[in-house]
Amino acid sequence: FFFSPSSAPSPQRCAAPMAAPAATSANAPKETVYVNNLSEKVNQEEMKKSLYAVFAPFGPIIDIVHFKSNKMRGQAFVVFRDVPAASSAVRQMQGFPFYDKPMKLDYAKAKSDATAKLDGSYLAKVREERTAKRRAEREERKAGAKKEKAAAPKAPREEAADAEM
C-alpha cells in the first residue's frame, strides 16, 4: 500500500476515533483539564515540562499540577487561561500517546486554585478548612484500621510465640 498526501484522510476523520465528544464528558467545561494515565516512570520536573510543551499550543497555561504520591500518581491538572483553550486540548489530545501511554483527558470537577485567584474568588480560609477536614478524616481511617487490626484474632503462630515469652 502506497501512501500519498492526496490519499490522506482529512484531519477531522483522523482525530475522530481518538477525540471524545464534549457531550460524553463527565464534567462541565472548565479552564482546568484533568489528565490521567500518565507514565509513572518520569520524574516530576520532566513531566511538568513535557506537559507544558504538549499543551502550550492550545493556549496560555497558568499552572500545571503533578504529584508523585500514591493517590495521585499518573495524574495531573493543566490549568489554561480560558475555557476554549481547555476544550480544544481535551478534544484534540484525547488518547494522544505520551511516554508510550495514551492520555485520558476530562475537565476538572472543581475550579482550580489558580483560576480562583485570577477571578478573585479564591479564599485561603476555605482551602485551609478543607485541608484540615481531609486530614482529620485520614486520621480517623488510620485509627479505625489500627483498632480492627488489634481486635483481629491472632494466628496460631503468633499465639505460640506469645506463650513462649
Side-chain angles (χ1 to χ4, degrees):
F1 176 73
F2 179 75
F3 177 79
S4 69
S6 61
S7 67
S10 69
Q12 289 80 17
R13 283 184 38 206
C14 286
M18 291 174 41
T24 62
S25 176
N27 302 312
K30 289 186 184 56
E31 295 90 346
T32 306
V33 176
Y34 169 71
V35 185
N36 72 348
N37 200 33
L38 296 173
S39 175
E40 299 164 16
K41 298 175 183 174
V42 181
N43 74 41
Q44 191 168 359
E45 282 306 309
E46 184 179 340
M47 181 61 76
K48 280 186 171 185
K49 288 177 185 176
S50 299
L51 286 168
Y52 186 87
V54 168
F55 285 103
F58 297 101
I61 295 174
I62 298 171
D63 193 16
I64 295 178
V65 180
H66 175 256
F67 298 108
K68 293 289 278 190
S69 68
N70 282 341
K71 184 177 179 184
M72 293 295 295
R73 70 176 184 238
Q75 304 170 60
F77 293 92
V78 179
V79 184
F80 288 93
R81 185 170 301 281
D82 54 15
V83 176
S87 296
S88 178
V90 168
R91 279 193 313 274
Q92 295 181 31
M93 296 302 289
Q94 191 69 257
F96 181 79
F98 190 67
Y99 288 105
D100 299 327
K101 293 179 81 174
M103 285 194 290
K104 296 178 184 176
L105 285 82
D106 197 1
Y107 300 104
K109 291 179 182 177
K111 182 186 280 192
S112 71
D113 288 346
T115 307
K117 285 176 184 176
L118 277 180
D119 68 15
S121 63
Y122 178 76
L123 299 172
K125 183 179 179 182
V126 172
R127 180 179 177 158
E128 290 169 8
E129 289 172 358
R130 191 173 57 233
T131 303
K133 180 181 175 186
R134 288 181 183 154
R135 188 175 297 127
E137 289 171 353
R138 227 179 0 255
E139 294 299 322
E140 285 177 21
R141 283 194 305 269
K142 283 182 184 178
K146 286 181 182 178
K147 286 180 184 177
E148 287 177 14
K149 190 175 180 180
K154 292 185 178 182
R157 280 183 157 171
E158 292 175 6
E159 289 175 359
D162 289 344
E164 291 176 6
M165 289 183 184

